[in-house]
Amino acid sequence: MSNEIFEKYESNVRSYCRKWPVEFSHAKGSIIVGVDGKKYIDFFDGAGALNYGHNNDYIKNELIKYIESDGIVHSLDMYATAKKNFIEFYEKEVLIPRGLDYKIMFANPTGTNAIEMAIKLARKNKKRSNIFALMGAFHGMTLGSLALTTEKGAREGAGVPLYNVTHIAPPYYMDNSFDTIKYIEEVLNDDHSGVEKPAAIILETVQAEGGIYPFSVQFLQDLRRVCDENDILLIVDDIQVGCARTGTFFSFERANIKPDMVVMSKSIGGYGLPLSLVMVKPELDIFTPGEHNGTFRGFQLSMITAKAGLEFMLNNKIEAEVKRKEQIVNNYLNNEIKPLLKENMSFRGIGLIWGIDFMDGKLARAVLDKCFEKGLIIELAGRNDRVLKIMPALTIEDELLLEGLNIIKESIKEVLWKN
Ligand SMILES: Cc1ncc(COP(=O)(O)O)c(C=O)c1O
């Protein structure tokens, strides 16, 4: 099959297609199919946008019904029925059972738009420009969110200085010995630190693009306390690891904390359709009407699939399923993969997001290429792309999960132990 049309006309900026240089035409569940008919197991999951699998039948039927009824598709932030139904369901089935009270700001279309909205609102509330973010963070590619994001290549694309963010080393720095909490406290209390007090601290509870680093419950609770003690907002970016990825709908539930703002995108859309939103404590909801805006904020098809996605998640007890499958992955990595790794290599993860850290980007890429040859779509993350990122749909069948893990094992054997 020829990819000539893409290579000739699509910008050089394209990236994923360079790892999997085939044309895909169909997908179902955790299988994605090339135009030549070759099937691949999907451990990439649309970068976390397809937690309930490709073309999920339940969600698809709700979408088709809505389209056939000529329901409103585009509505900016006008009142619309699909949005009403989503908000009502979200409040009743997601927020209230968890004791959470937030207002919802729709940001659409994509994750970075919601991050921009959250940090603008934090700055407005606290009348401070600085934000603390963690080294290794990924929060998006537009200028405000890019200032939070740390990857060098991405930052170099900005073309302007990226201001008003202070990056703090996370606890895994210095061989897991860095005391991030103590450092933040000292910096805030030292009138010679030279660091402006931030409006907010933003973090992913599991750094995903940074290389799959789940933060401990203690760390998350301590950060909540530091924010409270210093009048700083805590923003959780749950764009990638929310929507049950870690075994609870929100990733911060395991720490029993309540962030001041929560940013959602990717799988909140349920079906791979764009939806992004910010949940904000009611007292912080101080934007004046239209102060933040966007034409595609009211994309009603995403409201339909978002509600259907939540129904599917609850009806199929997906959170419990993730915890069960977490054991399958953890056992497999311990029993089958660990013995194949060299001394400096390791794995880490939680729920259904795991990384195998080869400590070497070239090796990780060689394993990825072997996986692809053998029919597995899988992505890299972390410093120099040295981490193989295992992130299947939460709905993946056990047999496919094991088949994908087996492909990783065989690929590692061939790459690491070929002689
Ligand atoms: C944690 C996190 N935040 C923000 C973003 C940005 O989302 P988007 O690519 O939809 O702009 C991503 C995307 O990978 C992400 O993983």
Side-chain angles (χ1 to χ4, degrees):
M1 296 304 136
S2 165
N3 292 322
E4 203 186 328
I5 185 85
F6 302 112
E7 281 151 21
K8 190 164 173 198
Y9 290 107
E10 196 182 347
S11 156
N12 194 49
V13 78
R14 65 194 192 281
S15 67
Y16 293 113
C17 54
R18 298 174 195 276
K19 287 179 182 136
W20 316 304
V22 294
E23 181 185 333
F24 297 104
S25 59
H26 291 79
K28 191 76 187 164
S30 288
I31 295 288
I32 176 164
V33 190
V35 275
D36 60 357
K38 183 165 176 180
K39 292 182 175 161
Y40 299 83
I41 299 172
D42 185 356
F43 270 19
F44 170 57
D45 196 50
L50 296 165
N51 280 8
Y52 313 128
H54 291 271
N55 292 307
N56 179 298
D57 281 329
Y58 177 77
I59 307 173
K60 183 169 73 181
N61 285 335
E62 294 300 305
L63 180 60
I64 289 171
K65 272 194 285 178
Y66 185 76
I67 291 174
E68 286 188 336
S69 76
D70 280 339
I72 285 273
V73 172
H74 182 268
S75 70
L76 292 136
D77 63 6
M78 285 145 42
Y79 296 145
T81 308
K83 181 166 68 175
K84 176 173 80 182
N85 293 341
F86 167 70
I87 295 174
E88 277 176 2
F89 192 85
Y90 199 69
E91 187 193 17
K92 183 159 169 264
E93 303 291 345
V94 176
L95 297 184
I96 291 175
R98 290 169 176 78
L100 298 172
D101 182 18
Y102 291 110
K103 293 192 84 171
I104 299 174
M105 302 196 298
F106 291 101
N108 269 27
T110 194
T112 196
N113 300 102
I115 296 287
E116 297 288 348
M117 200 176 198
I119 58 178
K120 263 169 84 172
L121 186 64
R123 285 171 169 144
K124 178 165 177 161
N125 264 282
K126 295 297 172 195
K127 300 186 179 58
R128 294 175 214 137
S129 56
N130 198 18
I131 308 272
F132 281 6
L134 295 180
M135 294 172 187
F138 185 89
H139 296 292
M141 288 284 204
T142 49
L143 288 180
S145 63
L146 191 53
L148 305 165
T149 293
T150 51
E151 200 253 319
K152 197 167 172 235
R155 293 177 69 85
E156 278 169 2
V160 293
L162 297 168
Y163 283 150
N164 297 317
V165 174
T166 302
H167 286 104
I168 308 285
Y172 61 78
Y173 257 59
M174 304 173 120
D175 286 332
N176 289 314
S177 72
F178 192 72
D179 192 337
T180 304
I181 299 294
K182 192 155 182 260
Y183 178 79
I184 293 175
E185 285 181 320
E186 289 209 15
V187 159
L188 291 175
N189 292 318
D190 177 6
D191 63 1
H192 277 54
S193 73
V195 174
E196 298 289 334
K197 180 169 169 168
I201 302 182
I202 185 168
L203 87 163
E204 310 152 80
T205 69
V206 182
Q207 279 190 349
E209 301 306 309
I212 327 298
Y213 291 96
F215 292 125
S216 72
V217 163
Q218 188 65 56
F219 174 68
L220 297 171
Q221 291 176 345
D222 286 347
L223 207 55
R224 176 69 276 184
R225 177 184 52 74
V226 169
C227 286
D228 286 340
E229 287 172 2
N230 292 280
D231 183 35
I232 295 166
L233 300 175
L234 180 65
I235 307 176
V236 167
D237 176 349
D238 240 2
I239 288 174
Q240 186 157 164
V241 299
C243 297
R245 172 64 55 192
T246 63
T248 51
F249 184 74
F250 296 114
S251 71
F252 54 83
E253 286 177 61
R254 71 189 160 95
N256 202 19
I257 55 166
K258 291 182 182 165
D260 299 295
M261 294 188 206
V262 184
V263 189
M264 307 290 289
S265 186
K266 298 197 189 263
S267 280
I268 191 70
Y271 197 68
L273 295 189
L275 181 64
S276 73
L277 54 89
V278 185
M279 293 153 46
V280 22
K281 284 197 173 158
E283 63 272 23
L284 303 175
D285 182 32
I286 59 164
F287 275 146
T288 55
E291 192 173 358
H292 189 92
N293 216 325
T295 305
F296 289 106
R297 274 179 305 153
F299 186 50
Q300 299 301 307
L301 301 188
S302 299
M303 307 284 176
I304 293 291
T305 53
K307 175 169 176 276
L310 293 173
E311 286 166 348
F312 177 86
M313 193 254 326
L314 292 168
N315 292 340
N316 293 280
K317 304 195 166 29
I318 294 293
E319 291 165 294
E321 272 293 280
V322 171
K323 285 184 180 139
R324 187 180 66 76
K325 289 173 189 169
E326 173 186 55
Q327 289 313 315
I328 298 179
V329 178
N330 195 8
N331 289 343
Y332 193 96
L333 291 173
N334 258 309
N335 299 332
E336 306 288 334
I337 303 282
K338 200 171 161 190
L340 297 175
L341 300 179
K342 311 262 164 151
E343 227 169 59
N344 63 338
M345 301 173 182
S346 59
F347 66 87
R348 50 187 177 259
I350 182 172
L352 278 178
I353 178 164
W354 291 79
I356 303 175
D357 194 339
F358 293 96
M359 301 297 287
D360 176 334
K362 278 208 185 97
L363 272 181
R365 177 60 196 252
V367 174
L368 176 144
D369 289 342
K370 273 278 169 248
C371 287
F372 180 63
E373 241 176 75
K374 294 175 189 293
L376 178 71
I377 300 286
I378 191 161
E379 175 48 332
L380 303 177
R383 276 68 173 180
N384 301 314
D385 266 356
R386 60 177 214 216
V387 179
L388 193 71
K389 181 182 182 198
I390 301 170
M391 193 168 71
L394 311 182
T395 49
I396 191 169
E397 297 81 357
D398 289 3
E399 307 78 61
L400 275 186
L401 181 59
L402 286 167
E403 207 181 310
L405 290 168
N406 266 318
I407 291 178
I408 295 175
K409 174 176 151 184
E410 292 309 317
S411 303
I412 292 177
K413 265 195 211 162
E414 284 180 38
V415 171
L416 258 58
W417 302 98
K418 59 184 164 212
N419 300 318

